[in-house]
Amino acid sequence: MLHAENEYTYERITEIKDFIKSKCDIDPKVGIICGTGLGSIGELITDAFILDYKNIPYFPISTVEGHKGRLILGYIKTVPVICMQGRFHYYEGYSLSKCVMPVRLMKLLGVTHLIASNAAGGLNQDFKIGDIMLQKDHVNVMGFSGNGPLVGLNDLRFGPRFFSMVNAYDVDLLESAKKIAEELGLKNIKEGVYTCVGGPTYETVAEVRALRSMGIDAAGMSTVHEVTTARHCGMRCFAFSLITNICPIDYSTAVESEIHSNDVIEVAMSKDKDLKLFVERIVQFIGKNDLNSVK
């Protein structure tokens, strides 16, 4: 049985691209996706042209608290960028192909590098709330059951049918980010493996234990399918998680460890200054060193 046809064809996304180009003549090279509570990263952008999602043809609407639902084009330290202040999630009722449509849009607009951020729960018990985990890899838990953004017919204009995910998170960008963090004096930098779960519920103790046994350090509800799509499109990717809670592994402390959406946003706001400076420096690095090198 064939899967339902993807409503976001190359032609449909080209229509969206043409609409944006008719409003704004900026040619972005770096794409940024802001996670829950991390939308203030968009404040870095100068000469900003802002479009609400509701005013863009065929665009979904972000329904989650902490996501402003705006597309911003402009510059970060002379580097042309496009920024999503709010992403789309599977648990909102959107298919994964719809969730990743903006990544393909970025590709058609000329983006070569993707920076994705997210709020995540720490599975690694050495992590602390407020840590920034640089993603060195991911485990595509949803993909194990065939639920992925590339399921269905493949359009070679986006990318090949089969491709490697070995270098999902670009090694050069990851190493450069570590150096930048050190130069900035950020003490709470970690490195680890991320996974995306369907949500919107947070994990049970048994689920936390299962994910930990797979070598996963943090869990969220995004990013994996976005990075998968970006790699399909030939983009170089960097991603980081802000650890907003530590997931319980013991039933005796599970109730005390319950997390709520307001807690996530509060932690994100407390790291606002550090994260903006961190992203700004990474964009500068990409603009200076890597903009014309796509792997």
Side-chain angles (χ1 to χ4, degrees), residues 232-261:
H232 181 245
C233 290
M235 296 183 197
R236 298 177 68 176
C237 300
F238 171 76
F240 65 89
S241 302
L242 176 63
I243 304 302
T244 53
N245 64 289
I246 303 302
C247 300
I249 59 172
D250 192 322
Y251 288 101
S252 64
T253 60
V255 175
E256 301 170 16
S257 304
E258 282 190 6
I259 184 71
H260 303 282
S261 60

Side-chain angles (χ1 to χ4, degrees), residues 83-284:
C83 175
M84 291 182 68
Q85 280 190 314
R87 54 160 53 95
F88 310 115
H89 303 82
Y90 185 71
Y91 63 76
E92 293 178 81
Y94 297 131
S95 66
L96 289 182
S97 62
K98 181 173 285 191
C99 291
V100 303
M101 175 274 294
V103 176
R104 287 178 160 171
L105 172 64
M106 289 179 182
K107 175 64 177 180
L108 296 191
L109 285 167
V111 169
T112 58
H113 293 67
L114 179 70
I115 299 173
S117 66
N118 59 67
L123 305 178
N124 188 323
Q125 299 299 295
D126 291 332
F127 286 2
K128 296 180 175 61
I129 292 175
D131 282 349
I132 301 168
M133 187 193 82
L134 310 183
Q135 292 180 208
K136 66 178 181 181
D137 207 346
H138 70 232
V139 175
N140 190 355
V141 173
M142 295 176 71
F144 286 171
S145 62
N147 187 11
L150 306 179
V151 171
L153 297 175
N154 184 63
D155 191 325
L156 290 171
R157 290 172 291 182
F158 286 124
R161 171 81 284 184
F162 302 104
F163 61 100
S164 174
M165 287 293 288
V166 171
N167 193 28
Y169 301 90
D170 189 87
V171 174
D172 293 338
L173 291 180
L174 178 60
E175 291 303 315
S176 299
K178 292 179 191 177
K179 293 176 183 177
I180 288 169
E182 184 177 355
E183 291 169 1
L184 293 174
L186 300 180
K187 305 296 184 183
N188 58 333
I189 296 295
K190 308 292 185 181
E191 183 179 345
V193 176
Y194 173 86
T195 195
C196 169
V197 296
T201 57
Y202 299 112
E203 298 75 33
T204 67
V205 172
E207 289 166 345
V208 170
R209 290 177 175 178
L211 294 172
R212 277 167 48 89
S213 73
M214 297 168 65
I216 298 169
D217 297 292
M221 302 174 191
S222 66
T223 307
V224 169
H225 39 275
E226 295 160 346
V227 167
T228 300
T229 303
R231 290 302 295 151
H232 181 245
C233 290
M235 296 183 197
R236 298 177 68 176
C237 300
F238 171 76
F240 65 89
S241 302
L242 176 63
I243 304 302
T244 53
N245 64 289
I246 303 302
C247 300
I249 59 172
D250 192 322
Y251 288 101
S252 64
T253 60
V255 175
E256 301 170 16
S257 304
E258 282 190 6
I259 184 71
H260 303 282
S261 60
N262 288 340
D263 301 323
V264 172
I265 295 173
E266 185 176 333
V267 173
M269 291 177 62
S270 72
K271 295 297 177 180
D272 176 79
K273 184 177 179 180
D274 285 346
L275 290 175
K276 285 198 289 190
L277 191 56
F278 184 52
V279 171
E280 182 179 63
R281 288 287 300 276
I282 292 171
V283 171
Q284 281 184 279

Side-chain angles (χ1 to χ4, degrees), residues 18-35:
D18 290 342
F19 171 81
I20 292 172
K21 293 298 292 181
S22 73
K23 303 290 184 181
C24 176
D25 61 1
I26 294 171
D27 296 318
K29 296 302 177 186
V30 177
I32 301 170
I33 302 177
C34 300

